Amino acid sequence: MHKVDLLLESKEAAALEARREREKQRLSRIFNARHRTMGVDVEALRSQVEERKLREEMEKRRDETYDAERVLCDRVAQMLEEEERQRVRRLHQAVQEFREREQPPPTRREWDLYNPEGLRRDQPARVSDYDPRCGLASLQHFTGEDLALPTRRRLQQEQQCRSLEEQRAERQRALADTTPSVAPCALLTDTLEEKKRVELDLRAQQLAQLEEECRRAKDLATADYNRAQAAEAAEQHRLACQREQDDNQAEIHNHLTGQLLTEDPAVAESPLGPHRILTDRWKGMSPEQVEAVWKAQEEQRQENQRLREAERQREAEWEAQRQLAARAAVALEEEERLARLQLRKGLDSYNQQLAQEQRAQQQYLQREVYTNPPSAQYHLQFNTSSR
């Protein structure tokens, strides 16, 4: 029985001690001005700070992971772009090599237009009298011309010189082969050869003179033919100028008497309707149309003047209404000012009455009610427990 009482006493003592400890903790919390006035829960704040730090750390790790992935994606994109540039560069280089190999400039169709060596390698318009390119329409070969005359004469002279040299060489060989017994015959033969040579020279001179006379006659005939051709061309040119002048005069007459310069209004009528015109043929309005436009403008002017007069009258009426409203507003403001003045006077009198009543109430409290003021011992009985 005594053991049970001891256990109960020990339990009650432990419970009492626990209550006292809780009371002390409660007192420390209640008498702590910061906890009491602000109501701060330190553990909750600490847990919130830890949660925020953990969240910031997770966000930081996530941002670092995203940054690493972004850097990796940027590197991959740069590698792909560089590969694409290299591919395009190789493609362009292959196209350029193909053009240089398979499509050189000399094989192009328009190479003759911008060939830098074209004028240097090109043939002249006329090479000789028998050039097959010089047709009738080429204007390169005319009757009476002989471009090969100097060359032909030079060749003839060279041929004649060679013939004379060959004859002289044959005569010398013949003289060398003959014996002294036939010397008189050789001299006679030489004399005959000399005479024959002189006769041939005279004959050649006569032939050259005849050829020169023929050439002169041919040149004269060519000159006469050219003069005739020039006269005919001049006559044709005169006739062409006369025809052109007649055509110009006819054209001027047609323009002067035509519908373009006479400004016929019927020319500008459109087939789509009477209210439409052809702008490329319209020469302006007729006097009737101008008169109608002026009349319409005069009507519009009168209508605008009437509208302006109505607007002016309406503005005058609105101005009179504004003046009346201003006078009424001034009268209302004056009435409101008088009412505020009366109200202020009433409030002043009422405040004075309240002040007198409050002074009387304070005097009554000080003299009749608060006759026993509290001492220091009265204030020390507070805050001695948490209850």
Side-chain angles (χ1 to χ4, degrees):
M1 182 173 180
H2 294 288
K3 292 183 178 180
V4 173
D5 294 336
L6 290 175
L7 290 176
L8 290 176
E9 289 179 359
S10 62
K11 288 183 180 179
E12 290 178 358
L16 182 61
E17 186 65 26
R19 239 183 351 262
R20 288 176 181 174
E21 185 66 26
R22 287 196 299 272
E23 185 68 18
K24 289 181 181 180
Q25 294 179 0
R26 189 167 181 272
L27 284 174
S28 63
R29 289 197 302 272
I30 290 175
F31 292 152
N32 191 345
R34 181 176 180 182
H35 286 194
R36 187 179 68 253
T37 57
M38 298 179 60
V40 178
D41 191 354
V42 179
E43 297 297 332
L45 291 177
R46 187 179 293 108
S47 62
Q48 291 178 1
V49 170
E50 292 178 355
E51 290 178 359
R52 186 180 64 182
K53 290 182 179 180
L54 181 61
R55 185 170 61 253
E56 291 177 354
E57 185 67 22
M58 293 177 63
E59 291 179 355
K60 182 178 179 181
R61 292 180 181 178
R62 183 181 60 187
D63 293 340
E64 291 178 353
T65 305
Y66 287 163
D67 293 339
E69 292 181 356
R70 185 165 57 251
V71 171
L72 180 60
C73 293
D74 292 341
R75 291 179 180 176
V76 173
Q78 290 178 359
M79 293 174 62
L80 293 176
E81 290 177 358
E82 182 64 24
E83 185 178 356
E84 181 66 18
R85 284 196 295 269
Q86 292 294 333
R87 188 184 66 81
V88 172
R89 181 173 175 273
R90 290 194 298 270
L91 179 61
H92 290 173
Q93 185 176 2
V95 171
Q96 185 65 25
E97 292 177 356
F98 176 80
R99 289 175 179 174
E100 293 177 356
R101 184 178 63 257
E102 302 294 337
Q103 298 176 349
T107 60
R108 297 174 185 173
R109 183 174 56 183
E110 65 277 5
W111 172 247
D112 56 342
L113 299 178
Y114 56 87
N115 185 9
E117 300 293 334
L119 296 177
R120 185 179 301 175
R121 297 180 180 179
D122 194 9
Q123 294 182 355
R126 178 180 176 184
V127 179
S128 63
D129 294 340
Y130 305 101
D131 193 348
R133 298 176 301 163
C134 299
L136 297 177
S138 63
L139 298 178
Q140 296 294 330
H141 184 270
F142 300 95
T143 304
E145 290 185 341
D146 189 6
L147 296 179
L149 178 61
T151 304
R152 188 171 62 256
R153 284 185 176 179
R154 181 173 55 80
L155 294 176
Q156 289 177 355
Q157 291 176 1
E158 291 178 357
Q159 185 178 3
Q160 187 176 3
C161 290
R162 285 197 299 271
S163 299
L164 292 175
E165 290 295 334
E166 289 177 359
Q167 291 176 6
R168 185 180 296 108
E170 290 178 359
R171 184 170 59 82
Q172 290 177 0
R173 285 196 299 271
L175 289 176
D177 294 338
T178 55
T179 56
S181 60
V182 292
C185 296
L187 293 176
L188 182 60
T189 304
D190 293 338
T191 304
L192 293 177
E193 290 292 338
E194 187 68 24
K195 290 181 179 181
K196 186 176 181 179
R197 187 169 56 256
V198 171
E199 183 180 0
L200 290 175
D201 293 339
L202 293 175
R203 181 72 175 178
Q205 291 179 0
Q206 292 177 359
L207 291 175
Q209 187 176 1
L210 290 175
E211 185 177 0
E212 184 68 20
E213 291 177 356
C214 291
R215 187 181 63 78
R216 289 178 181 175
K218 185 177 180 181
D219 292 340
L220 290 175
T222 302
D224 294 339
Y225 178 75
N226 291 335
R227 283 194 293 271
Q229 290 289 334
E232 184 179 359
E235 183 66 20
Q236 291 180 358
H237 180 68
R238 187 184 66 79
L239 293 176
C241 291
Q242 184 66 29
R243 285 194 300 270
E244 184 177 0
Q245 187 177 2
D246 295 340
D247 294 339
N248 292 336
Q249 291 180 356
E251 184 178 0
I252 293 172
H253 181 268
N254 293 332
H255 281 301
L256 292 175
T257 58
Q259 296 178 348
L260 180 63
L261 297 180
T262 55
E263 299 184 357
D264 187 5
V267 179
E269 293 180 357
S270 176
L272 301 178
H275 61 285
R276 304 185 67 175
I277 60 172
L278 300 177
T279 56
D280 58 338
R281 302 180 185 177
W282 189 59
K283 292 299 181 179
M285 295 185 295
S286 62
E288 293 80 6
Q289 293 176 344
V290 174
E291 184 68 25
V293 171
W294 287 350
K295 185 177 180 181
Q297 290 179 353
E298 182 65 23
E299 292 177 356
Q300 292 176 0
R301 187 184 63 79
Q302 294 178 1
E303 180 67 19
N304 292 333
Q305 186 175 2
R306 185 182 62 79
L307 292 175
R308 284 195 296 271
E309 290 293 337
E311 183 68 22
R312 191 179 301 111
Q313 184 177 0
R314 188 164 52 252
E315 288 292 336
E317 293 177 357
W318 278 109
E319 184 65 25
Q321 291 290 335
R322 282 194 293 270
Q323 290 179 2
L324 291 175
R327 292 194 189 97
V330 171
L332 289 175
E333 288 178 358
E334 185 64 23
E335 292 178 359
E336 186 178 357
R337 186 180 66 78
L338 294 175
R340 286 198 302 269
L341 183 60
Q342 294 293 334
L343 180 61
R344 188 179 299 110
K345 289 180 179 180
L347 289 175
D348 292 341
S349 62
Y350 179 72
N351 289 333
Q352 290 177 1
Q353 183 180 358
L354 287 178
Q356 292 177 0
E357 293 178 356
Q358 287 178 1
R359 283 196 297 270
Q361 180 71 18
Q362 290 294 331
Q363 291 176 2
Y364 171 76
L365 292 175
Q366 293 293 335
R367 293 175 182 177
E368 302 294 338
V369 178
Y370 300 142
T371 59
N372 188 16
S375 61
Q377 187 65 30
Y378 174 77
H379 294 288
L380 291 176
Q381 66 182 345
F382 297 101
N383 292 333
T384 57
S385 66
S386 62
R387 301 298 174 182

